[in-house]
Amino acid sequence: MHCHQDLVSFLSCGLILAGVWHLVYHRKSQSSYGRYMACPPARMVPARLAWFLQEMPAFIIPLLLMLTTHKSTIMGKYLLLATFCVHYFQRTFVYSLLMKGTPFPLSVMVTAGLFCSLNGFLQGHYLLHCAQFDDEWFTGYCFKIGLLLFYIGMAINIHSDFILCNLRKPKEVIYKIPTGGLFEYVSGANYLGEIVEWFGYAVATWSFPALSFALFTLCFIGPRAYYHHRFYLEKFKDYPKFRKALVPFIF
């Protein structure tokens, strides 16, 4: 397959515009799922099934691209794309089994699944068919620092999700104050971890598609961390006042 540079640029710009649109459109209220779902729609999907189905394309599509592409002599490309797949393997096959959230609206699941499909194709196609790396890139500082940030962010994300998944007892529907790890400093520790992940990935690949995904992630879940923070402050009078929304000691 040849590099479709125009399509890569179109999808990358689309991610940034979609992120900015979401940031502006939801500046006063959050997407209607989870705790912000005032009136549940008629068609709902169990949370675990919804998460599994919506996240799976971002794992399967890059994997299929790797398996059906002529092997390059530059194995670093496959390492970078495998790093992307590691995140979505964890989200699809591990996190989906641990989560205890409320059912998802079908429309949210379908939209998320479409996004994961497009983004999985974008990141996979760019790295395998468009990216130009020399052998020195994979021993350079950007590659090493980017991967270090990615795995630090992933560790934060997984640890924070583990705390949230074990916050409630089986069949409990009440909200509790999360504690431990980076939740001692921010209300959206899981979101902070994921944002660090994708900006690390953008540094490691030094690519426009990865940067556009990182910016989309920041625009999409950054505000959600703020609204979670505001929710906790309003619901719990004893909520730690020094705790920030997303960035320790700053915001």
Side-chain angles (χ1 to χ4, degrees), residues 37-97:
M37 188 166 51
C39 182
R43 296 181 178 179
M44 302 286 287
V45 183
R48 291 181 176 179
L49 177 62
W51 198 269
F52 176 83
L53 293 176
Q54 73 183 32
E55 301 288 303
M56 185 169 56
F59 171 74
I60 294 295
I61 291 175
L63 183 62
L64 289 176
L65 289 174
M66 283 194 286
L67 293 175
T68 56
T69 298
H70 176 71
K71 293 294 184 293
S72 169
T73 56
I74 302 178
M75 295 306 295
K77 289 184 176 184
Y78 294 91
L79 174 60
L80 286 170
L81 192 53
T83 299
F84 179 89
C85 290
V86 163
H87 170 89
Y88 280 102
F89 177 87
Q90 193 277 333
R91 302 299 280 176
T92 302
F93 298 102
V94 180
Y95 177 69
S96 64
L97 297 177

Side-chain angles (χ1 to χ4, degrees), residues 134-226:
D134 55 37
D135 291 334
E136 293 181 357
W137 175 259
F138 302 103
T139 59
Y141 288 111
C142 284
F143 179 75
K144 293 177 180 178
I145 292 173
L147 285 186
L148 178 62
L149 285 173
F150 177 89
Y151 284 108
I152 288 174
M154 187 174 183
I156 293 171
N157 181 245
I158 292 175
H159 181 248
S160 301
D161 280 338
F162 178 80
I163 290 173
L164 292 175
C165 288
N166 289 279
L167 202 58
R168 302 174 183 171
K169 296 178 181 179
K171 297 184 180 181
E172 266 191 338
V173 294
I174 61 173
Y175 286 99
K176 298 179 180 180
I177 299 175
T179 57
L182 278 179
F183 280 117
E184 297 297 325
Y185 303 95
V186 293
S187 299
N190 51 330
Y191 298 135
L192 172 61
E194 190 160 353
I195 291 169
V196 170
E197 264 189 272
W198 295 123
F199 273 98
Y201 187 72
V203 171
T205 62
W206 207 253
S207 69
F208 184 42
L211 177 61
S212 66
F213 179 38
L215 291 172
F216 175 87
T217 302
L218 176 63
C219 292
F220 192 85
I221 62 179
R224 201 161 183 87
Y226 167 76

